[in-house]
Amino acid sequence: AQTVTQSQPEMSVQEAETVTLSCTYDTSESDYYLFWYKQPPSRQMILVIRQEAYKQQNATENRFSVNFQKAAKSFSLKISDSQLGDAAMYFCAYRSRPSGTYKYIFGTGTRLKVLA
Amino acid sequence: ETGVTQTPRHLVMGMTNKKSLKCEQHLGHNAMYWYKQSAKKPLELMFVYNFKEQTENNSVPSRFSPECPNSSHLFLHLHTLQPEDSALYLCASSQAFGEANYGYTFGSGTRLTVV
């Protein structure tokens, strides 16, 4: 069975600085998706970025980028130029790639505080 | 507007009450999900519906009863709940099959407190 581990319950970053959130996962599959979701105080989970395991290039979305290390089963999220609006819970998630298998496995989350 | 709307936003109910949570999406998605979010735990998948058919029940107690009358609506009927059922209940939707899978679209959840 797949597992997702986020070992940092809480992180802090100064506004405008860079922070990296860690995620490791365990799977025997070779093809899958990985996601980072953000949950602000409004509670709605928002997709931040996704990565297909078969792609070697790390995904980037504006100030958000990932460091995907497939062999190490690591999927960290880097937030550059942190803003106050980035403060939220961040969840790492795994999903098998084959169609029809649409269960997501989530980590326990990392609470990110942004200090002014 | 998130695309997935959940009502009510907050719910307080006694252990003998019967209540229902509602989820609605008009994104053209054909898979819908109920998740339970408790503090310091991973999100727990409860139920999955694919084209209105329940395809997964993740060992959820029978005091939780889902209903999916069509691909746009999902309900979670609650009865004789326990205090440990207090949590944030999240609904999500997605495309069920194919490569067009950009992740879930979540609602804002219902904060349930059982007293």
Coordinates of all heavy atoms in Angstrom, one line a residue, chain A residues 8-73:
Chain A
Q8 N 7.2 17.5 8.7 CA 7.2 18.8 9.3 C 5.8 19.3 9.6 O 5.1 19.7 8.7 CB 7.9 19.8 8.3 CG 9.2 19.5 7.8 CD 9.5 20.1 6.4 OE1 8.6 20.1 5.5 NE2 10.7 20.6 6.2
P9 N 5.4 19.2 10.9 CA 4.1 19.6 11.2 C 3.8 21.1 11.0 O 2.8 21.5 10.6 CB 3.9 19.3 12.7 CG 5.0 18.3 12.9 CD 6.1 18.6 12.0
E10 N 4.9 21.9 11.2 CA 4.8 23.3 11.1 C 6.1 23.9 10.6 O 7.2 23.5 10.9 CB 4.4 23.9 12.4 CG 4.1 25.4 12.4 CD 3.5 25.8 13.8 OE1 2.4 25.3 14.2 OE2 4.1 26.6 14.4
M11 N 6.0 24.9 9.7 CA 7.2 25.7 9.2 C 6.8 27.2 9.3 O 5.7 27.6 9.2 CB 7.5 25.3 7.8 CG 7.9 23.8 7.6 SD 9.6 23.6 8.0 CE 10.4 24.4 6.6
S12 N 7.9 27.9 9.4 CA 7.7 29.4 9.4 C 8.7 30.0 8.4 O 9.8 29.4 8.1 CB 8.0 30.0 10.7 OG 7.1 29.6 11.7
V13 N 8.3 31.1 7.7 CA 9.2 31.7 6.8 C 8.9 33.2 6.8 O 7.8 33.7 7.1 CB 8.9 31.2 5.3 CG1 7.5 31.5 4.9 CG2 9.9 31.8 4.3
Q14 N 9.9 34.0 6.6 CA 9.8 35.5 6.6 C 9.2 35.8 5.2 O 9.5 35.2 4.2 CB 11.1 36.1 6.8 CG 11.7 36.1 8.2 CD 10.9 37.0 9.1 OE1 10.2 37.9 8.7 NE2 11.1 36.7 10.4
E15 N 8.4 36.8 5.2 CA 7.8 37.3 4.0 C 9.0 37.6 3.0 O 10.0 38.2 3.4 CB 7.0 38.6 4.3 CG 6.1 39.0 3.2 CD 5.2 40.2 3.6 OE1 5.4 40.8 4.7 OE2 4.4 40.6 2.8
A16 N 8.8 37.3 1.7 CA 9.7 37.5 0.7 C 10.9 36.4 0.6 O 11.6 36.4 -0.3 CB 10.3 38.9 0.7
E17 N 10.9 35.6 1.6 CA 12.0 34.6 1.7 C 11.5 33.3 1.0 O 10.3 33.2 0.6 CB 12.4 34.3 3.1 CG 13.0 35.5 3.8 CD 14.4 35.9 3.2 OE1 15.2 35.0 2.9 OE2 14.5 37.1 2.9
T18 N 12.3 32.3 0.9 CA 12.0 31.0 0.3 C 11.9 29.9 1.4 O 12.7 29.9 2.3 CB 13.1 30.6 -0.7 OG1 13.1 31.6 -1.8 CG2 12.8 29.3 -1.3
V19 N 11.0 29.0 1.2 CA 10.8 27.9 2.1 C 10.5 26.7 1.3 O 10.0 26.7 0.2 CB 9.6 28.2 3.1 CG1 8.3 28.3 2.3 CG2 9.5 27.2 4.2
T20 N 11.0 25.6 1.9 CA 10.8 24.2 1.2 C 10.1 23.3 2.2 O 10.5 23.1 3.3 CB 12.2 23.6 0.9 OG1 12.8 24.5 -0.1 CG2 12.0 22.3 0.2
L21 N 9.0 22.7 1.7 CA 8.2 21.8 2.5 C 8.5 20.4 2.0 O 8.6 20.1 0.7 CB 6.7 22.1 2.3 CG 6.2 23.5 2.6 CD1 4.7 23.6 2.5 CD2 6.7 24.0 3.9
S22 N 8.7 19.5 2.9 CA 9.2 18.1 2.5 C 8.0 17.1 2.4 O 7.0 17.2 3.1 CB 10.2 17.6 3.6 OG 11.3 18.4 3.6
C23 N 8.2 16.2 1.5 CA 7.2 15.1 1.4 C 8.0 13.9 0.9 O 8.7 14.0 -0.1 CB 6.1 15.5 0.4 SG 4.9 14.1 0.0
T24 N 7.7 12.7 1.5 CA 8.3 11.5 1.0 C 7.1 10.5 0.9 O 6.1 10.7 1.5 CB 9.3 10.9 1.9 OG1 8.8 10.7 3.2 CG2 10.5 11.8 2.0
Y25 N 7.3 9.6 0.0 CA 6.2 8.6 -0.2 C 6.8 7.2 -0.5 O 8.0 7.1 -0.7 CB 5.3 9.1 -1.4 CG 6.1 9.2 -2.7 CD1 6.2 8.2 -3.6 CD2 6.8 10.4 -3.0 CE1 6.9 8.3 -4.8 CE2 7.5 10.5 -4.1 CZ 7.6 9.5 -5.0 OH 8.3 9.6 -6.2
D26 N 5.9 6.3 -0.3 CA 6.4 4.9 -0.6 C 5.4 4.2 -1.5 O 4.2 4.3 -1.3 CB 6.4 4.1 0.8 CG 7.1 2.8 0.6 OD1 7.9 2.6 -0.3 OD2 6.8 1.9 1.4
T27 N 5.9 3.6 -2.6 CA 5.1 2.9 -3.5 C 5.9 1.9 -4.3 O 7.1 2.1 -4.4 CB 4.5 3.9 -4.5 OG1 3.6 3.3 -5.4 CG2 5.5 4.7 -5.3
S28 N 5.3 0.9 -4.8 CA 5.9 -0.1 -5.7 C 5.6 0.2 -7.1 O 6.1 -0.5 -8.0 CB 5.5 -1.5 -5.3 OG 4.1 -1.6 -5.4
E29 N 4.8 1.2 -7.4 CA 4.4 1.5 -8.7 C 5.4 2.4 -9.4 O 6.2 3.1 -8.7 CB 3.0 2.3 -8.7 CG 1.9 1.4 -8.1 CD 0.6 2.2 -8.0 OE1 0.7 3.5 -7.8 OE2 -0.5 1.6 -8.0
S30 N 5.5 2.3 -10.7 CA 6.4 3.1 -11.4 C 5.8 4.4 -12.0 O 6.6 5.3 -12.4 CB 7.1 2.3 -12.5 OG 6.1 1.8 -13.4
D31 N 4.5 4.4 -12.1 CA 3.9 5.5 -12.8 C 2.7 6.0 -11.9 O 1.9 5.3 -11.5 CB 3.3 5.1 -14.2 CG 3.2 6.3 -15.1 OD1 3.6 7.4 -14.7 OD2 2.6 6.1 -16.2
Y32 N 2.8 7.3 -11.6 CA 1.8 7.9 -10.7 C 1.8 9.4 -10.8 O 2.7 10.0 -11.5 CB 2.1 7.4 -9.3 CG 3.6 7.5 -8.9 CD1 4.1 8.7 -8.4 CD2 4.4 6.4 -9.0 CE1 5.5 8.8 -8.1 CE2 5.8 6.5 -8.7 CZ 6.3 7.7 -8.2 OH 7.6 7.8 -7.9
Y33 N 0.9 10.0 -10.1 CA 0.9 11.5 -10.0 C 1.2 11.9 -8.5 O 0.9 11.2 -7.6 CB -0.5 12.1 -10.3 CG -1.0 11.9 -11.7 CD1 -2.0 10.9 -12.0 CD2 -0.5 12.7 -12.7 CE1 -2.5 10.8 -13.2 CE2 -1.0 12.5 -14.0 CZ -2.0 11.6 -14.3 OH -2.5 11.4 -15.5
L34 N 1.8 13.0 -8.4 CA 2.0 13.6 -7.1 C 1.4 15.1 -7.1 O 1.5 15.8 -8.1 CB 3.5 13.7 -6.7 CG 4.1 12.3 -6.5 CD1 5.7 12.4 -6.5 CD2 3.7 11.7 -5.2
F35 N 0.9 15.5 -6.0 CA 0.2 16.8 -5.9 C 0.6 17.5 -4.6 O 0.9 16.9 -3.6 CB -1.3 16.6 -5.9 CG -1.9 15.9 -7.1 CD1 -1.9 14.5 -7.1 CD2 -2.4 16.6 -8.1 CE1 -2.5 13.8 -8.1 CE2 -3.0 15.9 -9.2 CZ -3.0 14.5 -9.2
W36 N 0.6 18.8 -4.7 CA 0.6 19.6 -3.5 C -0.7 20.4 -3.5 O -1.1 21.1 -4.5 CB 1.7 20.6 -3.4 CG 3.0 20.0 -2.9 CD1 4.0 19.5 -3.7 CD2 3.4 19.7 -1.6 NE1 5.0 19.0 -2.9 CE2 4.6 19.1 -1.6 CE3 2.8 20.0 -0.4 CZ2 5.3 18.8 -0.4 CZ3 3.4 19.7 0.8 CH2 4.7 19.1 0.8
Y37 N -1.4 20.3 -2.3 CA -2.7 21.1 -2.1 C -2.4 22.1 -1.0 O -1.7 21.8 0.0 CB -3.8 20.2 -1.8 CG -4.5 19.4 -2.9 CD1 -4.0 18.2 -3.3 CD2 -5.5 20.0 -3.6 CE1 -4.6 17.5 -4.4 CE2 -6.1 19.3 -4.7 CZ -5.6 18.1 -5.1 OH -6.2 17.4 -6.1
K38 N -3.1 23.2 -1.1 CA -3.0 24.3 -0.1 C -4.4 24.4 0.5 O -5.4 24.4 -0.2 CB -2.7 25.6 -0.7 CG -2.8 26.8 0.1 CD -2.5 28.0 -0.7 CE -2.7 29.3 0.1 NZ -2.4 30.5 -0.7
Q39 N -4.5 24.4 1.9 CA -5.8 24.6 2.6 C -5.7 25.9 3.4 O -5.2 25.8 4.5 CB -6.2 23.4 3.4 CG -7.6 23.5 4.0 CD -7.9 22.3 4.8 OE1 -7.1 21.7 5.5 NE2 -9.2 21.8 4.7
P40 N -6.2 27.0 3.0 CA -6.1 28.2 3.8 C -7.2 28.2 4.8 O -8.0 27.2 4.9 CB -6.4 29.3 2.7 CG -7.2 28.6 1.7 CD -6.7 27.2 1.6
P41 N -7.3 29.2 5.7 CA -8.4 29.2 6.7 C -9.8 29.1 6.2 O -10.7 28.6 6.9 CB -8.1 30.5 7.4 CG -6.7 30.8 7.2 CD -6.4 30.3 5.9
S42 N -10.0 29.4 4.9 CA -11.3 29.2 4.3 C -11.7 27.8 4.2 O -12.8 27.5 3.9 CB -11.3 29.9 3.0 OG -10.5 29.3 2.1
R43 N -10.7 26.9 4.4 CA -10.9 25.4 4.4 C -10.9 24.8 3.0 O -10.8 23.6 2.9 CB -12.1 25.0 5.2 CG -12.1 25.5 6.6 CD -13.3 25.0 7.4 NE -14.5 24.8 6.7 CZ -15.7 24.9 7.2 NH1 -15.8 25.3 8.5 NH2 -16.8 24.6 6.6
Q44 N -11.1 25.6 2.0 CA -11.1 24.9 0.6 C -9.7 24.5 0.2 O -8.8 25.3 0.2 CB -11.7 25.9 -0.4 CG -12.0 25.2 -1.7 CD -11.8 26.2 -2.9 OE1 -11.7 27.4 -2.7 NE2 -11.8 25.6 -4.1
M45 N -9.6 23.2 -0.1 CA -8.3 22.7 -0.6 C -8.1 23.1 -2.1 O -9.0 22.9 -2.9 CB -8.3 21.2 -0.5 CG -8.5 20.6 0.9 SD -7.0 20.4 1.7 CE -6.6 18.8 1.0
I46 N -7.0 23.7 -2.3 CA -6.7 24.3 -3.7 C -5.5 23.6 -4.2 O -4.4 23.5 -3.5 CB -6.4 25.8 -3.6 CG1 -7.6 26.5 -3.0 CG2 -6.1 26.3 -4.9 CD1 -7.3 27.9 -2.5
L47 N -5.6 23.1 -5.4 CA -4.4 22.4 -6.1 C -3.4 23.5 -6.4 O -3.6 24.5 -7.0 CB -4.9 21.8 -7.4 CG -3.8 21.1 -8.2 CD1 -3.2 19.9 -7.4 CD2 -4.3 20.6 -9.5
V48 N -2.2 23.2 -5.9 CA -1.0 24.1 -6.1 C -0.2 23.7 -7.3 O 0.1 24.5 -8.2 CB -0.2 24.2 -4.8 CG1 1.1 25.0 -5.1 CG2 -0.9 24.7 -3.6
I49 N 0.1 22.4 -7.4 CA 1.0 22.0 -8.4 C 0.9 20.5 -8.5 O 0.6 19.8 -7.5 CB 2.5 22.4 -8.1 CG1 3.4 22.4 -9.3 CG2 3.0 21.6 -6.9 CD1 4.7 23.1 -9.1
R50 N 1.2 19.9 -9.7 CA 1.2 18.5 -9.8 C 2.4 18.0 -10.6 O 2.9 18.8 -11.4 CB -0.1 18.0 -10.4 CG -0.2 18.1 -11.9 CD -1.3 17.3 -12.5 NE -1.2 17.2 -14.0 CZ -1.9 16.4 -14.7 NH1 -2.6 15.5 -14.2 NH2 -1.7 16.4 -16.0
Q51 N 2.7 16.8 -10.4 CA 3.9 16.2 -11.1 C 3.5 14.8 -11.6 O 3.0 14.0 -10.8 CB 5.1 16.1 -10.1 CG 6.3 15.4 -10.7 CD 7.2 16.4 -11.5 OE1 7.4 17.5 -11.2 NE2 7.7 15.8 -12.6
E52 N 3.8 14.5 -12.9 CA 3.7 13.1 -13.3 C 5.0 12.4 -13.1 O 6.1 13.0 -13.5 CB 3.3 13.1 -14.8 CG 1.9 13.6 -15.1 CD 1.9 15.1 -15.5 OE1 2.8 15.8 -15.1 OE2 0.9 15.5 -16.2
A53 N 5.0 11.2 -12.6 CA 6.2 10.5 -12.3 C 7.1 10.2 -13.5 O 8.3 10.1 -13.4 CB 5.9 9.3 -11.5
Y54 N 6.4 10.1 -14.7 CA 7.2 9.7 -15.8 C 8.0 10.9 -16.4 O 8.8 10.8 -17.3 CB 6.3 9.1 -16.9 CG 5.3 10.1 -17.5 CD1 5.6 10.8 -18.6 CD2 4.0 10.2 -17.0 CE1 4.7 11.7 -19.2 CE2 3.1 11.1 -17.6 CZ 3.5 11.8 -18.7 OH 2.5 12.6 -19.2
K55 N 7.7 12.1 -15.9 CA 8.3 13.3 -16.4 C 9.5 13.6 -15.5 O 9.4 13.7 -14.2 CB 7.4 14.5 -16.4 CG 6.3 14.4 -17.5 CD 5.5 15.7 -17.5 CE 4.5 15.6 -18.6 NZ 3.7 16.9 -18.7
Q56 N 10.7 13.8 -16.0 CA 11.9 14.1 -15.2 C 11.9 15.5 -14.9 O 12.5 15.9 -13.8 CB 13.1 13.7 -16.0 CG 13.3 12.2 -16.2 CD 14.6 11.8 -16.8 OE1 15.3 12.6 -17.4 NE2 15.0 10.5 -16.7
Q57 N 11.3 16.4 -15.7 CA 11.4 17.8 -15.4 C 10.5 18.1 -14.2 O 9.3 17.7 -14.2 CB 11.0 18.6 -16.7 CG 11.1 20.1 -16.5 CD 10.8 20.8 -17.8 OE1 10.3 20.2 -18.8 NE2 11.0 22.1 -17.8
N58 N 11.1 18.9 -13.3 CA 10.3 19.4 -12.2 C 9.2 20.4 -12.6 O 9.5 21.3 -13.4 CB 11.2 20.0 -11.1 CG 12.1 19.0 -10.5 OD1 11.7 17.9 -10.2 ND2 13.3 19.4 -10.2
A59 N 8.0 20.2 -12.0 CA 6.9 21.1 -12.3 C 7.1 22.5 -11.7 O 7.7 22.6 -10.6 CB 5.6 20.5 -11.8
T60 N 6.7 23.5 -12.3 CA 6.8 24.9 -11.8 C 5.5 25.6 -12.1 O 4.9 25.5 -13.2 CB 7.9 25.6 -12.5 OG1 9.1 25.0 -12.2 CG2 8.0 27.0 -12.0
E61 N 5.0 26.3 -11.1 CA 3.8 27.2 -11.3 C 4.1 28.5 -10.6 O 3.9 28.6 -9.4 CB 2.6 26.5 -10.6 CG 2.0 25.4 -11.4 CD 1.3 25.7 -12.7 OE1 0.9 26.9 -12.9 OE2 1.1 24.8 -13.5
N62 N 4.5 29.5 -11.3 CA 4.8 30.8 -10.8 C 5.9 30.7 -9.7 O 7.0 30.2 -9.9 CB 3.6 31.5 -10.4 CG 2.6 31.7 -11.5 OD1 3.0 32.1 -12.6 ND2 1.3 31.3 -11.3
R63 N 5.5 31.1 -8.5 CA 6.4 31.0 -7.3 C 6.6 29.6 -6.7 O 7.4 29.5 -5.8 CB 6.0 32.0 -6.3 CG 5.9 33.5 -6.7 CD 5.5 34.4 -5.6 NE 4.1 34.1 -5.1 CZ 3.8 33.6 -4.0 NH1 4.8 33.1 -3.1 NH2 2.5 33.4 -3.6
F64 N 5.8 28.7 -7.2 CA 5.8 27.3 -6.6 C 6.6 26.4 -7.6 O 6.3 26.4 -8.8 CB 4.4 26.8 -6.4 CG 3.6 27.7 -5.4 CD1 2.9 28.8 -5.9 CD2 3.6 27.4 -4.1 CE1 2.2 29.6 -5.0 CE2 2.8 28.1 -3.2 CZ 2.2 29.2 -3.7
S65 N 7.5 25.6 -7.0 CA 8.2 24.6 -7.8 C 8.4 23.4 -6.9 O 8.3 23.5 -5.7 CB 9.5 25.2 -8.3 OG 10.4 25.5 -7.2
V66 N 8.6 22.3 -7.6 CA 8.9 21.1 -6.8 C 10.3 20.5 -7.2 O 10.9 20.8 -8.2 CB 7.8 20.0 -7.1 CG1 6.5 20.4 -6.8 CG2 7.9 19.5 -8.6
N67 N 10.8 19.8 -6.2 CA 12.0 19.0 -6.4 C 11.6 17.5 -6.3 O 11.4 17.0 -5.2 CB 13.1 19.3 -5.4 CG 14.4 18.6 -5.6 OD1 14.5 17.9 -6.6 ND2 15.3 18.8 -4.7
F68 N 11.5 16.9 -7.5 CA 11.0 15.5 -7.6 C 12.2 14.6 -7.7 O 12.9 14.7 -8.7 CB 10.0 15.4 -8.7 CG 9.6 14.0 -9.0 CD1 9.1 13.1 -8.0 CD2 9.6 13.5 -10.3 CE1 8.7 11.9 -8.3 CE2 9.2 12.2 -10.6 CZ 8.8 11.4 -9.6
Q69 N 12.4 13.8 -6.7 CA 13.5 12.8 -6.8 C 12.9 11.4 -6.7 O 12.5 10.9 -5.7 CB 14.4 13.0 -5.6 CG 15.0 14.4 -5.5 CD 16.1 14.6 -6.6 OE1 16.8 13.7 -7.0 NE2 16.2 15.8 -7.0
K70 N 12.7 10.8 -7.9 CA 11.9 9.6 -8.0 C 12.6 8.4 -7.3 O 12.0 7.7 -6.6 CB 11.7 9.2 -9.5 CG 10.7 8.1 -9.6 CD 10.3 7.9 -11.1 CE 9.3 6.8 -11.2 NZ 8.9 6.6 -12.7
A71 N 13.9 8.3 -7.5 CA 14.6 7.2 -6.8 C 14.5 7.3 -5.3 O 14.4 6.3 -4.6 CB 16.1 7.2 -7.3
A72 N 14.6 8.5 -4.8 CA 14.5 8.7 -3.4 C 13.1 8.8 -2.9 O 12.9 8.9 -1.7 CB 15.3 10.0 -3.0
K73 N 12.1 8.8 -3.8 CA 10.7 8.9 -3.4 C 10.5 10.2 -2.6 O 9.9 10.1 -1.5 CB 10.2 7.7 -2.8 CG 10.3 6.5 -3.7 CD 9.8 5.2 -3.0 CE 10.0 4.0 -4.0 NZ 9.6 2.7 -3.4

